[in-house]
Amino acid sequence: MSIMEQLRDDGHITGWRNELYPIAEGFYDEPLLLMERAATSFVGAIEYGVHINGLVRSSSNSENDDQSTTKMWMARRSKTKSKYPGMLDHIVAGGQPANMGLMENVIKECMEEAGVPTDVVKRGIKSVGAISYETFVVQQPTTNDDEGDDPRMVDGVISRVVLFCYDLELPSDFVPKVVDGEVESFFLWNMEEVMECIRKDYNDPMKPNCYPVVIDYLMRSGYVSPETVGYLDVLRELRSGDCC
């Protein structure tokens, strides 16, 4: 049994996926070793992933056509997920496993999570950059000990993340479908609803790492004016982690 498997069995590492992540000095370097996905944050390694904004644009040819004609597909995470059950999510998002290219992963995740055919992905996908961040993730206790003195409890870990962002323009008549059970439903929002959901007091939160990707989309698409106080601060924070 490996050390990580022992930590899993002792209750320190949860959400075990049997999915290997590469551990390397940088994204484009040869990996020094491969590690179970759920364990990477425990060693301070950067986790990489892909997030896809599923977009539907109006077919109107009017010269006055504007941002209000764009809608975004959103998802509701399955209530059985080990992390963030029942929360709002992107139509497609996933970690970047070992021995797989980014676009190969995008195509795989689109089919597995939302039933998007490969030809539709290839026709509508566009790489639009990356965001990065570091955050402290609180670990939950492994028992229901209300006193909080369970010796197996881990206070938390520093999660270091780089997410490659993609915009996927989907046909107006396409409806995503639940395939692998990662989500329980999909729904189409206009941009006003998307902007509403990032409000601090919104009562139906998204999975935390979706916020920076959605905010990045809103900013680069012009839904947030650069004259807005704090614009440059937010822009800087979207790439506040190591991008390597």
Side-chain angles (χ1 to χ4, degrees), residues 10-25:
D10 289 345
H12 295 302
I13 298 177
T14 59
W16 196 270
R17 297 169 179 264
N18 290 315
E19 183 177 335
L20 295 178
Y21 266 21
I23 306 300
E25 291 186 16

mmCIF file with all atom_site columns, all heavy atoms in Angstrom, residues 10-25:
data_model
loop_
_atom_site.group_PDB
_atom_site.id
_atom_site.type_symbol
_atom_site.label_atom_id
_atom_site.label_alt_id
_atom_site.label_comp_id
_atom_site.label_asym_id
_atom_site.label_entity_id
_atom_site.label_seq_id
_atom_site.pdbx_PDB_ins_code
_atom_site.Cartn_x
_atom_site.Cartn_y
_atom_site.Cartn_z
_atom_site.occupancy
_atom_site.B_iso_or_equiv
_atom_site.pdbx_formal_charge
_atom_site.auth_seq_id
_atom_site.auth_comp_id
_atom_site.auth_asym_id
_atom_site.auth_atom_id
_atom_site.pdbx_PDB_model_num
ATOM 1   N N   . ASP A 1 10 ? -7.035  6.227  6.117   1.00 0.00 ? 10 ASP A N   1
ATOM 2   C CA  . ASP A 1 10 ? -7.125  6.866  7.429   1.00 0.00 ? 10 ASP A CA  1
ATOM 3   C C   . ASP A 1 10 ? -8.106  8.035  7.433   1.00 0.00 ? 10 ASP A C   1
ATOM 4   O O   . ASP A 1 10 ? -8.332  8.645  8.479   1.00 0.00 ? 10 ASP A O   1
ATOM 5   C CB  . ASP A 1 10 ? -5.742  7.363  7.861   1.00 0.00 ? 10 ASP A CB  1
ATOM 6   C CG  . ASP A 1 10 ? -4.804  6.211  8.230   1.00 0.00 ? 10 ASP A CG  1
ATOM 7   O OD1 . ASP A 1 10 ? -5.303  5.090  8.424   1.00 0.00 ? 10 ASP A OD1 1
ATOM 8   O OD2 . ASP A 1 10 ? -3.584  6.442  8.314   1.00 0.00 ? 10 ASP A OD2 1
ATOM 9   N N   . GLY A 1 11 ? -8.655  8.363  6.266   1.00 0.00 ? 11 GLY A N   1
ATOM 10  C CA  . GLY A 1 11 ? -9.663  9.414  6.188   1.00 0.00 ? 11 GLY A CA  1
ATOM 11  C C   . GLY A 1 11 ? -9.135  10.802 5.910   1.00 0.00 ? 11 GLY A C   1
ATOM 12  O O   . GLY A 1 11 ? -9.903  11.771 5.898   1.00 0.00 ? 11 GLY A O   1
ATOM 13  N N   . HIS A 1 12 ? -7.827  10.951 5.668   1.00 0.00 ? 12 HIS A N   1
ATOM 14  C CA  . HIS A 1 12 ? -7.264  12.278 5.407   1.00 0.00 ? 12 HIS A CA  1
ATOM 15  C C   . HIS A 1 12 ? -7.538  12.740 3.979   1.00 0.00 ? 12 HIS A C   1
ATOM 16  O O   . HIS A 1 12 ? -7.772  13.923 3.740   1.00 0.00 ? 12 HIS A O   1
ATOM 17  C CB  . HIS A 1 12 ? -5.756  12.277 5.656   1.00 0.00 ? 12 HIS A CB  1
ATOM 18  C CG  . HIS A 1 12 ? -5.390  12.023 7.097   1.00 0.00 ? 12 HIS A CG  1
ATOM 19  N ND1 . HIS A 1 12 ? -5.850  12.825 8.117   1.00 0.00 ? 12 HIS A ND1 1
ATOM 20  C CD2 . HIS A 1 12 ? -4.623  11.061 7.675   1.00 0.00 ? 12 HIS A CD2 1
ATOM 21  C CE1 . HIS A 1 12 ? -5.366  12.370 9.271   1.00 0.00 ? 12 HIS A CE1 1
ATOM 22  N NE2 . HIS A 1 12 ? -4.635  11.307 9.029   1.00 0.00 ? 12 HIS A NE2 1
ATOM 23  N N   . ILE A 1 13 ? -7.467  11.834 3.031   1.00 0.00 ? 13 ILE A N   1
ATOM 24  C CA  . ILE A 1 13 ? -7.688  12.170 1.625   1.00 0.00 ? 13 ILE A CA  1
ATOM 25  C C   . ILE A 1 13 ? -9.038  11.615 1.207   1.00 0.00 ? 13 ILE A C   1
ATOM 26  O O   . ILE A 1 13 ? -9.278  10.403 1.272   1.00 0.00 ? 13 ILE A O   1
ATOM 27  C CB  . ILE A 1 13 ? -6.570  11.586 0.729   1.00 0.00 ? 13 ILE A CB  1
ATOM 28  C CG1 . ILE A 1 13 ? -5.215  12.194 1.107   1.00 0.00 ? 13 ILE A CG1 1
ATOM 29  C CG2 . ILE A 1 13 ? -6.873  11.872 -0.741  1.00 0.00 ? 13 ILE A CG2 1
ATOM 30  C CD1 . ILE A 1 13 ? -4.051  11.618 0.318   1.00 0.00 ? 13 ILE A CD1 1
ATOM 31  N N   . THR A 1 14 ? -9.927  12.501 0.785   1.00 0.00 ? 14 THR A N   1
ATOM 32  C CA  . THR A 1 14 ? -11.265 12.096 0.371   1.00 0.00 ? 14 THR A CA  1
ATOM 33  C C   . THR A 1 14 ? -11.444 12.333 -1.121  1.00 0.00 ? 14 THR A C   1
ATOM 34  O O   . THR A 1 14 ? -10.663 13.031 -1.753  1.00 0.00 ? 14 THR A O   1
ATOM 35  C CB  . THR A 1 14 ? -12.325 12.890 1.160   1.00 0.00 ? 14 THR A CB  1
ATOM 36  O OG1 . THR A 1 14 ? -12.142 14.294 0.911   1.00 0.00 ? 14 THR A OG1 1
ATOM 37  C CG2 . THR A 1 14 ? -12.204 12.627 2.649   1.00 0.00 ? 14 THR A CG2 1
ATOM 38  N N   . GLY A 1 15 ? -12.508 11.784 -1.670  1.00 0.00 ? 15 GLY A N   1
ATOM 39  C CA  . GLY A 1 15 ? -12.793 11.980 -3.084  1.00 0.00 ? 15 GLY A CA  1
ATOM 40  C C   . GLY A 1 15 ? -11.826 11.259 -4.004  1.00 0.00 ? 15 GLY A C   1
ATOM 41  O O   . GLY A 1 15 ? -11.525 11.751 -5.099  1.00 0.00 ? 15 GLY A O   1
ATOM 42  N N   . TRP A 1 16 ? -11.350 10.115 -3.581  1.00 0.00 ? 16 TRP A N   1
ATOM 43  C CA  . TRP A 1 16 ? -10.384 9.336  -4.381  1.00 0.00 ? 16 TRP A CA  1
ATOM 44  C C   . TRP A 1 16 ? -10.983 9.011  -5.745  1.00 0.00 ? 16 TRP A C   1
ATOM 45  O O   . TRP A 1 16 ? -12.115 8.554  -5.852  1.00 0.00 ? 16 TRP A O   1
ATOM 46  C CB  . TRP A 1 16 ? -10.042 8.049  -3.639  1.00 0.00 ? 16 TRP A CB  1
ATOM 47  C CG  . TRP A 1 16 ? -8.819  7.347  -4.142  1.00 0.00 ? 16 TRP A CG  1
ATOM 48  C CD1 . TRP A 1 16 ? -8.762  6.397  -5.114  1.00 0.00 ? 16 TRP A CD1 1
ATOM 49  C CD2 . TRP A 1 16 ? -7.473  7.524  -3.676  1.00 0.00 ? 16 TRP A CD2 1
ATOM 50  N NE1 . TRP A 1 16 ? -7.476  5.975  -5.297  1.00 0.00 ? 16 TRP A NE1 1
ATOM 51  C CE2 . TRP A 1 16 ? -6.652  6.635  -4.421  1.00 0.00 ? 16 TRP A CE2 1
ATOM 52  C CE3 . TRP A 1 16 ? -6.874  8.326  -2.711  1.00 0.00 ? 16 TRP A CE3 1
ATOM 53  C CZ2 . TRP A 1 16 ? -5.277  6.536  -4.229  1.00 0.00 ? 16 TRP A CZ2 1
ATOM 54  C CZ3 . TRP A 1 16 ? -5.512  8.231  -2.511  1.00 0.00 ? 16 TRP A CZ3 1
ATOM 55  C CH2 . TRP A 1 16 ? -4.725  7.352  -3.256  1.00 0.00 ? 16 TRP A CH2 1
ATOM 56  N N   . ARG A 1 17 ? -10.204 9.225  -6.842  1.00 0.00 ? 17 ARG A N   1
ATOM 57  C CA  . ARG A 1 17 ? -10.751 9.093  -8.191  1.00 0.00 ? 17 ARG A CA  1
ATOM 58  C C   . ARG A 1 17 ? -10.084 8.015  -9.044  1.00 0.00 ? 17 ARG A C   1
ATOM 59  O O   . ARG A 1 17 ? -10.535 7.758  -10.156 1.00 0.00 ? 17 ARG A O   1
ATOM 60  C CB  . ARG A 1 17 ? -10.626 10.435 -8.928  1.00 0.00 ? 17 ARG A CB  1
ATOM 61  C CG  . ARG A 1 17 ? -11.416 11.556 -8.287  1.00 0.00 ? 17 ARG A CG  1
ATOM 62  C CD  . ARG A 1 17 ? -11.031 12.886 -8.899  1.00 0.00 ? 17 ARG A CD  1
ATOM 63  N NE  . ARG A 1 17 ? -11.788 13.986 -8.329  1.00 0.00 ? 17 ARG A NE  1
ATOM 64  C CZ  . ARG A 1 17 ? -12.882 14.489 -8.862  1.00 0.00 ? 17 ARG A CZ  1
ATOM 65  N NH1 . ARG A 1 17 ? -13.361 13.986 -9.980  1.00 0.00 ? 17 ARG A NH1 1
ATOM 66  N NH2 . ARG A 1 17 ? -13.507 15.502 -8.302  1.00 0.00 ? 17 ARG A NH2 1
ATOM 67  N N   . ASN A 1 18 ? -8.965  7.468  -8.571  1.00 0.00 ? 18 ASN A N   1
ATOM 68  C CA  . ASN A 1 18 ? -8.194  6.542  -9.412  1.00 0.00 ? 18 ASN A CA  1
ATOM 69  C C   . ASN A 1 18 ? -7.828  7.195  -10.745 1.00 0.00 ? 18 ASN A C   1
ATOM 70  O O   . ASN A 1 18 ? -7.912  6.583  -11.817 1.00 0.00 ? 18 ASN A O   1
ATOM 71  C CB  . ASN A 1 18 ? -8.971  5.243  -9.662  1.00 0.00 ? 18 ASN A CB  1
ATOM 72  C CG  . ASN A 1 18 ? -9.071  4.395  -8.411  1.00 0.00 ? 18 ASN A CG  1
ATOM 73  O OD1 . ASN A 1 18 ? -8.092  4.216  -7.691  1.00 0.00 ? 18 ASN A OD1 1
ATOM 74  N ND2 . ASN A 1 18 ? -10.260 3.878  -8.133  1.00 0.00 ? 18 ASN A ND2 1
ATOM 75  N N   . GLU A 1 19 ? -7.441  8.459  -10.664 1.00 0.00 ? 19 GLU A N   1
ATOM 76  C CA  . GLU A 1 19 ? -7.039  9.234  -11.839 1.00 0.00 ? 19 GLU A CA  1
ATOM 77  C C   . GLU A 1 19 ? -5.678  9.870  -11.547 1.00 0.00 ? 19 GLU A C   1
ATOM 78  O O   . GLU A 1 19 ? -5.518  10.546 -10.526 1.00 0.00 ? 19 GLU A O   1
ATOM 79  C CB  . GLU A 1 19 ? -8.072  10.327 -12.133 1.00 0.00 ? 19 GLU A CB  1
ATOM 80  C CG  . GLU A 1 19 ? -7.774  11.144 -13.369 1.00 0.00 ? 19 GLU A CG  1
ATOM 81  C CD  . GLU A 1 19 ? -8.867  12.165 -13.649 1.00 0.00 ? 19 GLU A CD  1
ATOM 82  O OE1 . GLU A 1 19 ? -10.025 11.957 -13.222 1.00 0.00 ? 19 GLU A OE1 1
ATOM 83  O OE2 . GLU A 1 19 ? -8.562  13.192 -14.282 1.00 0.00 ? 19 GLU A OE2 1
ATOM 84  N N   . LEU A 1 20 ? -4.714  9.633  -12.413 1.00 0.00 ? 20 LEU A N   1
ATOM 85  C CA  . LEU A 1 20 ? -3.349  10.086 -12.158 1.00 0.00 ? 20 LEU A CA  1
ATOM 86  C C   . LEU A 1 20 ? -3.102  11.477 -12.736 1.00 0.00 ? 20 LEU A C   1
ATOM 87  O O   . LEU A 1 20 ? -3.460  11.768 -13.881 1.00 0.00 ? 20 LEU A O   1
ATOM 88  C CB  . LEU A 1 20 ? -2.348  9.090  -12.745 1.00 0.00 ? 20 LEU A CB  1
ATOM 89  C CG  . LEU A 1 20 ? -2.343  7.697  -12.119 1.00 0.00 ? 20 LEU A CG  1
ATOM 90  C CD1 . LEU A 1 20 ? -1.342  6.803  -12.831 1.00 0.00 ? 20 LEU A CD1 1
ATOM 91  C CD2 . LEU A 1 20 ? -2.021  7.784  -10.624 1.00 0.00 ? 20 LEU A CD2 1
ATOM 92  N N   . TYR A 1 21 ? -2.467  12.305 -11.916 1.00 0.00 ? 21 TYR A N   1
ATOM 93  C CA  . TYR A 1 21 ? -2.040  13.634 -12.333 1.00 0.00 ? 21 TYR A CA  1
ATOM 94  C C   . TYR A 1 21 ? -0.522  13.651 -12.469 1.00 0.00 ? 21 TYR A C   1
ATOM 95  O O   . TYR A 1 21 ? 0.185   13.019 -11.663 1.00 0.00 ? 21 TYR A O   1
ATOM 96  C CB  . TYR A 1 21 ? -2.438  14.673 -11.284 1.00 0.00 ? 21 TYR A CB  1
ATOM 97  C CG  . TYR A 1 21 ? -3.754  15.357 -11.523 1.00 0.00 ? 21 TYR A CG  1
ATOM 98  C CD1 . TYR A 1 21 ? -4.730  14.787 -12.329 1.00 0.00 ? 21 TYR A CD1 1
ATOM 99  C CD2 . TYR A 1 21 ? -4.037  16.577 -10.925 1.00 0.00 ? 21 TYR A CD2 1
ATOM 100 C CE1 . TYR A 1 21 ? -5.940  15.417 -12.534 1.00 0.00 ? 21 TYR A CE1 1
ATOM 101 C CE2 . TYR A 1 21 ? -5.239  17.224 -11.132 1.00 0.00 ? 21 TYR A CE2 1
ATOM 102 C CZ  . TYR A 1 21 ? -6.183  16.628 -11.938 1.00 0.00 ? 21 TYR A CZ  1
ATOM 103 O OH  . TYR A 1 21 ? -7.379  17.257 -12.143 1.00 0.00 ? 21 TYR A OH  1
ATOM 104 N N   . PRO A 1 22 ? 0.000   14.387 -13.447 1.00 0.00 ? 22 PRO A N   1
ATOM 105 C CA  . PRO A 1 22 ? 1.454   14.515 -13.559 1.00 0.00 ? 22 PRO A CA  1
ATOM 106 C C   . PRO A 1 22 ? 1.993   15.530 -12.545 1.00 0.00 ? 22 PRO A C   1
ATOM 107 O O   . PRO A 1 22 ? 1.387   16.588 -12.343 1.00 0.00 ? 22 PRO A O   1
ATOM 108 C CB  . PRO A 1 22 ? 1.651   15.016 -14.998 1.00 0.00 ? 22 PRO A CB  1
ATOM 109 C CG  . PRO A 1 22 ? 0.388   15.761 -15.302 1.00 0.00 ? 22 PRO A CG  1
ATOM 110 C CD  . PRO A 1 22 ? -0.710  15.061 -14.545 1.00 0.00 ? 22 PRO A CD  1
ATOM 111 N N   . ILE A 1 23 ? 3.088   15.218 -11.919 1.00 0.00 ? 23 ILE A N   1
ATOM 112 C CA  . ILE A 1 23 ? 3.762   16.137 -11.013 1.00 0.00 ? 23 ILE A CA  1
ATOM 113 C C   . ILE A 1 23 ? 5.068   16.554 -11.680 1.00 0.00 ? 23 ILE A C   1
ATOM 114 O O   . ILE A 1 23 ? 5.948   15.717 -11.924 1.00 0.00 ? 23 ILE A O   1
ATOM 115 C CB  . ILE A 1 23 ? 4.063   15.473 -9.647  1.00 0.00 ? 23 ILE A CB  1
ATOM 116 C CG1 . ILE A 1 23 ? 2.778   14.890 -9.052  1.00 0.00 ? 23 ILE A CG1 1
ATOM 117 C CG2 . ILE A 1 23 ? 4.694   16.483 -8.698  1.00 0.00 ? 23 ILE A CG2 1
ATOM 118 C CD1 . ILE A 1 23 ? 1.681   15.883 -8.791  1.00 0.00 ? 23 ILE A CD1 1
ATOM 119 N N   . ALA A 1 24 ? 5.186   17.834 -12.017 1.00 0.00 ? 24 ALA A N   1
ATOM 120 C CA  . ALA A 1 24 ? 6.349   18.324 -12.766 1.00 0.00 ? 24 ALA A CA  1
ATOM 121 C C   . ALA A 1 24 ? 6.671   19.744 -12.326 1.00 0.00 ? 24 ALA A C   1
ATOM 122 O O   . ALA A 1 24 ? 5.885   20.400 -11.630 1.00 0.00 ? 24 ALA A O   1
ATOM 123 C CB  . ALA A 1 24 ? 6.059   18.293 -14.270 1.00 0.00 ? 24 ALA A CB  1
ATOM 124 N N   . GLU A 1 25 ? 7.832   20.228 -12.747 1.00 0.00 ? 25 GLU A N   1
ATOM 125 C CA  . GLU A 1 25 ? 8.222   21.601 -12.422 1.00 0.00 ? 25 GLU A CA  1
ATOM 126 C C   . GLU A 1 25 ? 7.330   22.599 -13.146 1.00 0.00 ? 25 GLU A C   1
ATOM 127 O O   . GLU A 1 25 ? 7.074   23.692 -12.646 1.00 0.00 ? 25 GLU A O   1
ATOM 128 C CB  . GLU A 1 25 ? 9.686   21.828 -12.790 1.00 0.00 ? 25 GLU A CB  1
ATOM 129 C CG  . GLU A 1 25 ? 10.663  21.056 -11.917 1.00 0.00 ? 25 GLU A CG  1
ATOM 130 C CD  . GLU A 1 25 ? 12.109  21.409 -12.210 1.00 0.00 ? 25 GLU A CD  1
ATOM 131 O OE1 . GLU A 1 25 ? 12.346  22.458 -12.863 1.00 0.00 ? 25 GLU A OE1 1
ATOM 132 O OE2 . GLU A 1 25 ? 13.003  20.668 -11.787 1.00 0.00 ? 25 GLU A OE2 1
#
